[in-house]
Amino acid sequence: MIQLKPIQSELKNWMQRNENFKENYIKIKNEVLNDPQIKEFLSKHPQLTQTEINKNLIKLYEYKSQSKQCDQCSSYGTCNNMVPGYSPVLHVENNEIRLTYEKCHSRIMYEKEQEQQKLIHSLHVPKEILEARMSDVSNDQSRIRAIGEMLDFLDQAQTKLPSKGLYLYGLFGVGKTYLLGALANELKNINISSAIIYMPEFVREIKSSFKDDSTNEKIDFFKKVGVLMLDDIGAENQSAWFRDEVLGSVLQYRMMERLPVFFTSNYSLKQLESQLATTKNGVEAVKAGRIIERIKQVSRVVQIEGHNRRL
Ligand code: ADP
Ligand code: MG
């Protein structure tokens, strides 16, 4: 008896809630059945029984509440769906309503961009360079020859990767690295992977790989990447080991495999030769000459003139 009162009030509460529930249910049902897309779906499937529809009101409600193929969001990042980037689809199977999800346009685009981004392996290259576009540089008179060569390269690369890149040299600040960035972006659009590395970092990267025994793996990557871009050759600390065992073997491999290399440098090949010759081991003209020969095998020399854009 003592418990009777609470039970009665619970019951009353429950009935009250149930009233609200019923009201809500009817409201939601009306909303769902008046939704234009759901109306269209139901009219296409007249075989669906009222019982089946009632049984699936929650599914239909879920369908109604979700953005369909990005109709309520502007990008993948702003998607509010239960699973972002997935769009609901209603269909009928054995006279039963089914709700499934498929990837939306924005998500597909986003994934494609992510995939493409992976094609540029950039190591220590400023962001503005990675955003450079060929269209931004193509009207530039002072670099017309380099740009022409790059456009030819891109043109040929559509069918077969050319075996020679370019050796771009000129004064500091004329936009050599910027050109490499623009080329890397265009290559990405035709699904060719490239790696840009700043030479002083290349040396550091290889030296730090001694610690975890990844040296061979790293060297292998530079040997085999589609298009290799060595930025600022000659600016690195000269070491005979790096010159002969790393740079030499990467260039040798690429020469044999006919894989192109792009270089930028403040030095002409002649100047680079004496730069490469001088290490702690003394002056090794023959070894430096061997590297210069390989550079000539994997690239064509183009001088870049123009003003310093950093001033
Ligand atoms: P370099 O490698 O020859 O020393 P950079 O490529 O670093 O020169 O270019 C110097 C500066 O000028 C950079 O800040 C770069 O972003 C800018 N720059 C170079 N070329 C262009 C261009 N065509 N349009 C806009 N900015 C450029
Ligand atoms: Mg540069």
Side-chain angles (χ1 to χ4, degrees):
M1 280 310 267
I2 294 164
Q3 285 183 343
L4 192 62
K5 205 166 173 233
I7 286 174
Q8 273 177 344
S9 65
E10 266 306 297
L11 201 59
K12 217 171 133 201
N13 278 343
W14 187 85
M15 279 163 64
Q16 179 70 35
R17 280 204 303 274
N18 204 31
E19 265 317 293
N20 289 345
F21 175 76
K22 242 192 220 159
E23 235 171 65
N24 263 337
Y25 178 81
I26 291 166
K27 194 168 149 251
I28 287 176
K29 183 172 172 176
N30 282 337
E31 262 177 42
V32 165
L33 298 180
N34 282 318
D35 178 89
Q37 282 167 307
I38 291 181
K39 267 183 163 168
E40 194 191 331
F41 169 76
L42 293 177
S43 74
K44 277 191 191 151
H45 301 282
Q47 78 275 31
L48 290 171
T49 61
Q50 200 55 48
T51 327
E52 179 62 18
I53 295 171
N54 285 339
K55 204 173 86 189
N56 287 289
L57 272 183
I58 294 289
K59 261 184 213 164
L60 296 174
Y61 181 74
E62 182 178 321
Y63 176 79
K64 178 182 168 330
S65 69
Q66 301 288 291
S67 162
K68 265 117 10 226
Q69 282 301 345
C70 320
D71 62 356
Q72 291 169 39
C73 23
S74 55
S75 66
Y76 169 51
T78 59
C79 179
N80 284 323
N81 278 2
M82 293 199 302
V83 183
Y86 281 83
S87 196
V89 190
L90 277 179
H91 44 109
V92 174
E93 240 177 73
N94 301 330
N95 291 334
E96 288 179 1
I97 298 175
R98 294 260 182 275
L99 176 66
T100 54
Y101 280 84
E102 64 181 12
K103 275 184 196 170
C104 68
H105 306 311
S106 306
R107 173 138 187 162
I108 291 172
M109 280 299 292
Y110 171 82
E111 286 179 0
K112 200 167 160 225
E113 275 168 25
Q114 292 294 99
E115 240 350 270
Q116 285 198 331
Q117 214 50 49
K118 276 196 228 141
L119 291 176
I120 301 187
H121 304 268
S122 65
L123 298 145
H124 316 283
V125 176
K127 193 158 171 275
E128 59 171 33
I129 299 289
L130 290 179
E131 286 167 357
R133 290 279 172 278
M134 215 60 201
S135 52
D136 295 339
V137 294
S138 52
N139 285 325
D140 192 322
Q141 287 302 314
S142 64
R143 291 176 283 181
I144 202 88
R145 165 137 187 254
I147 293 162
E149 296 260 4
M150 281 190 171
L151 293 175
D152 281 351
F153 183 91
L154 281 168
D155 204 38
Q156 290 172 35
Q158 310 254 10
T159 43
K160 188 174 179 297
L161 199 57
S163 58
K164 284 192 176 194
L166 297 174
Y167 180 90
L168 305 172
Y169 77 100
L171 297 176
F172 175 80
V174 292
K176 302 178 296 292
T177 304
Y178 193 89
L179 282 175
L180 286 191
L183 181 67
N185 269 313
E186 299 296 329
L187 288 169
K188 175 183 89 176
N189 292 337
I190 53 172
N191 288 326
I192 295 177
S193 72
S194 61
I196 313 185
I197 185 149
Y198 179 52
M199 280 303 280
E201 287 299 341
F202 191 8
V203 176
R204 276 194 279 274
E205 187 84 32
I206 295 295
K207 287 198 172 149
S208 72
S209 70
F210 296 164
K211 282 182 245 130
D212 57 6
D213 279 337
S214 61
T215 315
N216 286 340
E217 203 182 303
K218 289 230 162 96
I219 294 178
D220 231 46
F221 168 78
F222 293 104
K223 280 181 176 168
K224 294 176 183 165
V225 64
V227 177
L228 177 63
M229 301 181 171
L230 300 179
D231 189 28
D232 242 337
I233 189 166
E236 69 280 14
N237 265 337
Q238 292 306 325
S239 104
W241 179 79
F242 182 86
R243 177 193 64 202
D244 304 329
E245 304 305 321
V246 182
L247 184 59
S249 83
V250 167
L251 295 181
Q252 167 84 11
Y253 181 91
R254 298 187 67 92
M255 183 181 92
M256 308 290 281
E257 297 296 318
R258 305 181 67 76
L259 291 168
V261 186
F262 285 78
F263 304 84
T264 75
S265 185
N266 290 349
Y267 302 111
S268 67
L269 277 188
K270 194 101 207 92
Q271 292 166 324
L272 183 70
E273 189 165 359
S274 50
Q275 187 75 8
L276 291 174
T278 321
T279 67
K280 275 189 239 148
N281 294 8
V283 178
E284 296 177 310
V286 175
K287 288 187 173 169
R290 204 173 288 152
I291 300 283
I292 299 296
E293 275 319 301
R294 286 176 193 160
I295 293 178
K296 286 184 189 160
Q297 294 286 330
V298 294
S299 68
R300 255 200 300 275
V301 180
V302 178
Q303 184 174 9
I304 302 208
E305 283 160 301
H307 64 281
N308 185 344
R309 289 173 173 266
R310 295 185 212 223
L311 296 178

